Amino acid sequence: MTDIDASAGPPGQGTRRVRLVELGAAALAALADDDLATAGAVAGTELGTYFLGETWWWRLRESQLLDDPSRAGWLAHVAVDPEGPNTAVGFASFHGPPDDHGMVEVGYAVAPEFRRRGYARGIVAALIAKAATNPEVTTVRAAIRPDNPASLAVIAGFGFEHVGQQWEKADGLEYLYERPVVLPPGRSGS
C-alpha cells in the first residue's frame, strides 16, 4: 500500500493529525470479502471490525480502481493516527479524481471507538491538503445529510459554504458545501 503524506496541521483546536494510507485493489478486495487480516496486512495497518460489513462500498471502489487505474490515490484510504498505534481510526476518500471543473468530493467516517476525539477534522484537513497537492483541483465539495449534525460541525471550521442540495438515491437529501482548495488570503478556514 502507498502511504500518502497528507498529514495536515490542525485548522483549530480539537483536531487530531492523521496519516492517510491508500487502499489498493488487493486491500479493497480483501475488505469486500470481510477478510480484515489480509486487508490489514496489505495496507500495513490494523483494521478494526468497523471496516466489516460495507462490502458494497469496498467492491465499488475496487471495481472503479480496476476499471481505471488512473483513479489510484483518489478512491479509498484509511486514516491512521501517526502518534498512536498503527491502527486505522477511520476512512477517507474522494469520489474520484477531479472532474472537468476541478472539483473533488470528499467522504469520511470515523470508527465509533475513535469518535469525538478530533479525528474527523483531521481526516478532512488531510483530504484538503491532499487535494491541494494536485494542480487540477480547484474546489473541494462535501455532501452531507441535514440530519448529520456531527458532520456539519466537522466542516464548519474549514471555510465550506452551502451551495445547494441534491437527492442521493442511497442517502436521501444532502446539502452541498464547497470551498476553494486553497482559501483566499485572509481566510484561515478555522
Side-chain angles (χ1 to χ4, degrees):
M1 284 306 90
T2 304
D3 264 3
I4 296 173
D5 185 10
S7 294
Q13 284 189 325
T15 301
R16 298 284 289 263
R17 292 176 69 90
V18 299
R19 177 174 53 93
L20 299 182
V21 178
E22 182 181 352
L23 297 177
L28 292 168
L31 284 169
D33 291 336
D34 286 337
D35 183 352
L36 282 180
T38 300
V42 173
T45 188
E46 183 180 337
L47 301 174
T49 58
Y50 175 71
F51 294 91
L52 295 175
E54 298 294 331
T55 57
W56 71 270
W57 195 83
W58 304 119
R59 285 247 184 264
L60 170 66
R61 293 302 190 215
E62 177 194 18
S63 173
Q64 291 171 325
L65 184 56
L66 292 174
D67 288 347
D68 184 358
S70 71
R71 292 178 174 216
W74 293 103
L75 296 176
H77 302 81
V78 291
V80 177
D81 183 336
E83 297 174 12
N86 191 27
T87 302
V89 298
F91 72 86
S93 71
F94 296 95
H95 290 257
D99 68 12
D100 293 341
H101 303 287
M103 196 243 337
V104 292
E105 185 173 333
V106 298
Y108 54 92
V110 176
E113 65 269 28
F114 295 105
R115 290 181 183 157
R116 304 192 58 79
R117 298 187 197 176
Y119 287 116
R121 288 180 56 82
I123 292 169
V124 171
L127 286 168
I128 292 169
K130 176 168 174 37
T133 67
N134 185 306
E136 294 177 29
V137 179
T138 59
T139 305
V140 178
R141 172 181 276 184
I144 301 171
R145 288 178 22 182
D147 64 349
N148 187 346
S151 197
L152 291 169
V154 166
I155 68 161
F158 286 96
F160 282 90
E161 295 182 9
H162 184 260
V163 296
Q165 62 188 38
Q166 69 183 8
W167 184 263
E168 178 65 34
K169 184 178 178 182
D171 294 324
L173 179 64
E174 293 178 328
Y175 290 158
L176 302 176
Y177 295 87
E178 293 180 357
R179 60 158 278 161
V181 71
V182 178
L183 289 173
R187 298 254 334 246
S188 68
S190 59

